[in-house]
Amino acid sequence: MIRRILNVFKRDMLNSFRDYLMLYMFIAPILLTIGFSFFIPSVQSASLQFAVDENLDREVIKEFEKYGKVEKYNSIEEIKDRVNDVDDVAGITKNNEGKFQVILEGNESHDTEVIPQMIIKDMMRENKLNIDLNVTDIGVKRSPVALIGAISIIQMAVLIGGVTIGFNIIEEKQSNTIKALNVTPMTKLEFIIGRSIVGIVLPIIHVYIVLWILGMLNVNKMMVLVMTIVSSLIGILIGFLIGVISNNQITGITNMKAVFIIVSLSIIGALLLPESKHFLLYWAPPYWSFIGFRDILLNNITWGQIGVYASWILGLTFIIFLLFRKKISRGLA
Amino acid sequence: MLNRFLGLVKKDIITGFRNYYFLMVIIVALLFVGIIQFVIPEDTSIKPSVYYYIDYEGEMKAYLQEMIGQSEEEHDKIYKANSREEIIDNMKKSTNSIGMVITAKQGKPSIEFILQGYENEQVKNALLLSMRDEINSVFNEEIEIDVVKLKQGLNVEKIPTNKNVLPLFVLTEPVMLGFILIAALIFMEKDEGTIKAYIVTPGRLPEYLASKITLMLILGIISVLISTILVVGFDADYVSLLIIVILGGIFASSLGLIVASFFKNLSQAMIWIIAITLVLSIPTVSYFFPSFAPWFFTILPTYPLMFAIREAIFQTGNSSIIYSTALYLLVVSIITYGISILTYRLHLARD
């Protein structure tokens, strides 16, 4: 039996290598991670943008640099053109009376509209009230953008394995390979397990590479392993469902889209909904995978919690498998 | 030539119909409308939660409490805590939160902001600045600042959070659907040998590809009409919206044609299609944080596209963005369409 399972795996690998498919599956998430790692520093830099008249005093320009990204322009027309661009930028110059002037387009967000005025007022005030103001932090050095980005890439790596399994199955259905396999001594379970190996092995390799590139490997690596293995079961199940439900690649794409909408919704929901409403997402296995990885990367999780999250994922995946068991069995016939 | 083209379009529409393209587009649009209307709350905000604790009994207490009370009215995620430790416990649970502790120091209030630690200097400075401004504006005379708004009369009323997601749907589905679907259509015809059969007829390649793109545009128009009408009714500027969706659709579909031409089957292409889709959707970050727009966001055609779609749906009177985006997309889509013809010429000659 083991030999037959390994044969399915071997055949998949051979096919995939011949098509460069394995290479693509392997490098796509890594390329994305490298791209993303270039993008993180700029996320952490500027939060506001100012288009400042370069004829203003150096001191004034320096003051604005304390609060955001400063671009210098030497005429009011250039400042206006910049302010009229799609993104949010506040123009800063002096009017004919020599007083500071803030130039806005009219549709800026609250901060872009208000902060420049506060900066100017702060510079102009003579008798400032002396109140002791200070800033401390609780030591979370990882920005939410880096964190969410890393988890999204991990989720994608997990799903890519599944999606590839699904589209392989559709192709085999169309080329009647599955019918041929059905007359061999191989059972459906052996076929499923053989097919799934790649969907588990690949995400494991990916997750560690992704974390290494993003400099996030200072986490509990065993927890990462456990979470990756249980999460990859979601990917595999999705893959098989897409594979057996879809009669051709086009319905495959439709089903994949529907699945992606559900996966992204559970992640966006986990991000936007207050903790008290998270129960609305408990039914979605990707939700548990998301918060599992989130807490692992924040070093804010115990083995007990990993156990709870993993049980939810395993339980839900198993229930979904039971619901579609007949469909999967028929789809592979 | 026109007859030949129309014949091809008719054939593609029938193919699309048989393969449930139309049904699929309608189902995805309805699914999304359902999510907007029933799942996403109207007033979700990405502002951080604020936890505060006051351990100060001096003369400014009443004023400080009034200030917090005012903020509570404007911002729905401000919570009172009973100790500094409680604030820190709560902050550890949500990375998008800050804390504020007011204590007495030599009789005067001392305000400590507790941040997560990943915030940069500029964010910290802005936070302190707004606090200083808040307090100083009470005890000092208000200073009037000359503010010029270049576009007077822009209608900038707040769009409910759930409806605000519609432009992103229009970008990812009606506009971008061609990117992935056209690849599927091409691979199906490659398998069936339709392309090879077609090149020996008098039909020309640009017509063949244009007909595929036309089917994608029809699907895009159906999708955008269903979703937009069901979410905002007839308030949108549909003429501009359709122009933007059509031009964006030509760009996305010809890009799909280019990507598909490099691969033998859909499985191979799929990974790249998903990866490119992710790259093209990166600018959506700027949709939520408009002052965050690094150059590698703004060079992607999806960046102006999503703001133009928003302007067409929720008109603020800023129509210049629609014209400039339409012109830009026209140029980009002519280029991508031209490249797609070239790549197919090369690949068909090679095959």
Side-chain angles (χ1 to χ4, degrees), chain B residues 291-315:
Chain B
S291 58
F292 178 66
W295 63 269
F296 48 91
F297 278 29
T298 51
I299 54 166
L300 295 170
T302 37
Y303 178 80
L305 194 50
M306 75 188 167
F307 288 107
I309 294 171
R310 181 174 68 183
E311 178 59 33
I313 296 178
F314 307 104
Q315 305 154 68

Side-chain angles (χ1 to χ4, degrees), chain A residues 19 39 44-45 47 66 95 101-102 104-105 121-122 129 132 134 136-138 140 156 171 250 254, chain B residues 21 24 110-113 115-116 118 120 125 132 136 142 146 148 150-151 267-268 278 291 297:
Chain A
D19 280 1
F39 153 83
Q44 277 154 338
S45 61
S47 45
K66 280 194 206 160
N95 62 16
Q101 187 177 52
V102 178
L104 299 170
E105 191 179 2
K121 283 191 249 175
D122 200 53
L129 192 74
D132 186 44
N134 60 76
T136 55
D137 65 63
I138 58 170
V140 179
M156 186 197 133
E171 263 169 35
I250 294 163
T254 319
Chain B
Y21 274 40
M24 175 191 108
S110 164
I111 303 177
E112 177 197 5
F113 285 104
L115 302 183
Q116 294 283 342
Y118 57 78
N120 62 45
N125 288 340
R132 273 202 309 272
N136 277 308
E142 186 55 45
D146 176 16
V148 178
L150 297 177
K151 292 178 182 152
S267 304
Q268 272 188 358
L278 276 180
S291 58
F297 278 29

Side-chain angles (χ1 to χ4, degrees), chain B residues 96-319:
Chain B
N96 189 22
S97 63
I98 61 172
M100 186 172 85
V101 179
I102 304 176
T103 49
K105 210 175 192 178
Q106 291 151 357
K108 278 198 308 187
S110 164
I111 303 177
E112 177 197 5
F113 285 104
I114 309 174
L115 302 183
Q116 294 283 342
Y118 57 78
E119 298 88 349
N120 62 45
E121 281 306 308
Q122 294 166 335
V123 172
K124 288 182 199 167
N125 288 340
L127 192 66
L128 295 178
L129 172 77
S130 39
M131 199 66 198
R132 273 202 309 272
D133 185 77
E134 185 87 38
I135 296 170
N136 277 308
S137 59
V138 174
F139 295 98
N140 286 305
E141 228 173 86
E142 186 55 45
I143 303 172
E144 278 303 314
I145 305 285
D146 176 16
V147 177
V148 178
K149 291 198 174 163
L150 297 177
K151 292 178 182 152
Q152 290 297 332
L154 287 188
N155 172 20
V156 282
E157 60 183 85
K158 199 166 162 9
I159 305 163
T161 315
N162 56 349
K163 292 190 177 169
N164 198 21
V165 185
L166 178 65
L168 295 184
F169 171 74
V170 173
L171 176 71
T172 49
E173 182 65 11
V175 175
M176 294 298 293
L177 68 83
F179 181 54
I180 179 164
L181 273 189
I182 208 163
L185 192 61
I186 287 285
F187 286 122
M188 203 169 74
E189 297 208 337
K190 256 190 194 174
D191 275 353
E192 291 165 357
T194 320
I195 298 188
K196 281 189 184 147
Y198 180 75
I199 19 179
V200 293
T201 67
R204 292 168 54 210
L205 192 62
E207 293 162 17
Y208 175 80
L209 299 180
S211 146
K212 300 272 171 295
I213 295 175
T214 310
L215 171 65
M216 297 303 135
L217 298 181
I218 295 172
L219 293 167
I221 291 170
I222 294 175
S223 174
V224 73
L225 288 180
I226 292 179
S227 52
T228 313
I229 291 174
L230 289 180
V231 174
V232 297
F234 292 94
D235 289 341
D237 172 3
Y238 281 97
V239 176
S240 304
L241 185 60
L242 289 181
I243 291 174
I244 295 287
V245 167
I246 288 171
L247 290 171
I250 298 175
F251 157 71
S253 318
S254 20
L255 192 65
L257 285 173
I258 297 171
V259 175
S261 73
F262 289 95
F263 300 96
K264 270 194 269 167
N265 55 45
L266 191 61
S267 304
Q268 272 188 358
M270 187 56 79
I271 291 158
W272 296 106
I273 289 174
I274 295 176
I276 295 174
T277 309
L278 276 180
V279 171
L280 287 175
S281 40
I282 286 179
T284 49
V285 176
S286 298
Y287 189 81
F288 295 106
F289 305 99
S291 58
F292 178 66
W295 63 269
F296 48 91
F297 278 29
T298 51
I299 54 166
L300 295 170
T302 37
Y303 178 80
L305 194 50
M306 75 188 167
F307 288 107
I309 294 171
R310 181 174 68 183
E311 178 59 33
I313 296 178
F314 307 104
Q315 305 154 68
T316 63
N318 192 8
S319 45

Side-chain angles (χ1 to χ4, degrees), chain A residues 311-331:
Chain A
S311 312
W312 272 100
I313 297 175
L314 292 174
L316 288 166
T317 320
F318 189 63
I319 292 172
I320 299 172
F321 175 73
L322 284 185
L323 287 175
F324 289 94
R325 197 181 46 172
K326 281 206 177 126
K327 202 132 207 176
I328 294 180
S329 171
R330 243 183 291 137

Side-chain angles (χ1 to χ4, degrees), chain A residues 3-232:
Chain A
R3 191 151 27 116
R4 280 199 295 263
I5 292 177
L6 286 178
N7 276 339
V8 176
F9 175 61
K10 210 168 103 190
R11 192 176 65 94
D12 271 0
M13 294 297 275
L14 273 177
N15 273 342
S16 306
F17 276 117
R18 207 174 295 142
D19 280 1
Y20 297 111
L21 191 65
M22 187 54 69
L23 183 72
Y24 298 153
M25 273 168 69
F26 186 72
I27 62 172
I30 296 175
L31 282 182
L32 269 179
T33 315
I34 295 174
F36 180 66
S37 66
F38 286 121
F39 153 83
I40 299 176
S42 60
V43 176
Q44 277 154 338
S45 61
S47 45
L48 290 167
Q49 306 187 93
F50 310 109
V52 179
D53 187 339
E54 65 178 7
N55 301 317
L56 293 178
D57 289 345
R58 268 242 24 92
E59 294 305 308
V60 173
I61 296 175
K62 261 192 175 165
E63 193 62 25
F64 275 91
E65 280 170 351
K66 280 194 206 160
Y67 302 96
K69 194 174 108 197
V70 169
E71 295 167 24
K72 288 177 230 167
Y73 295 93
N74 65 18
S75 77
I76 188 144
E77 291 315 313
E78 283 180 21
I79 295 179
K80 283 183 179 168
D81 284 347
R82 181 66 187 91
V83 171
N84 272 326
D85 264 357
V86 179
D87 54 343
D88 271 13
V89 190
I92 314 293
T93 182
K94 278 191 172 172
N95 62 16
N96 296 338
E97 298 162 29
K99 287 188 176 153
F100 282 108
Q101 187 177 52
V102 178
I103 304 174
L104 299 170
E105 191 179 2
N107 56 1
E108 282 82 358
S109 63
H110 178 262
D111 283 358
T112 303
E113 184 172 347
V114 174
I115 301 271
Q117 299 182 44
M118 289 182 182
I119 299 173
I120 296 170
K121 283 191 249 175
D122 200 53
M123 287 188 290
M124 289 165 70
R125 270 194 195 107
E126 279 156 16
N127 42 352
K128 294 175 194 168
L129 192 74
N130 195 10
I131 272 198
D132 186 44
L133 285 173
N134 60 76
V135 176
T136 55
D137 65 63
I138 58 170
V140 179
K141 295 292 172 215
R142 205 157 278 157
S143 88
V145 176
L147 189 74
I148 295 163
I151 305 172
S152 308
I153 295 176
I154 289 174
Q155 302 282 355
M156 186 197 133
V158 168
L159 286 179
I160 263 191
V163 169
T164 316
I165 293 176
F167 279 87
N168 266 333
I169 293 179
I170 299 175
E171 263 169 35
E172 297 200 339
K173 277 206 308 205
Q174 285 178 318
S175 60
N176 290 332
T177 322
I178 289 198
K179 277 189 189 152
L181 284 174
N182 278 336
V183 293
T184 67
M186 190 178 59
T187 65
K188 287 205 179 84
L189 189 70
E190 288 164 3
F191 177 77
I192 292 178
I193 298 176
R195 264 284 136 88
S196 308
I197 296 177
V198 85
I200 295 187
V201 175
L202 210 57
I204 295 178
I205 303 173
H206 273 143
V207 168
Y208 287 107
I209 295 182
V210 167
L211 293 178
W212 175 68
I213 295 175
L214 296 175
M216 294 184 179
L217 263 184
N218 55 342
V219 290
N220 188 325
K221 295 179 193 63
M222 276 313 285
M223 287 182 172
V224 172
L225 182 68
V226 172
M227 212 57 205
T228 310
I229 293 176
V230 284
S231 303
S232 58

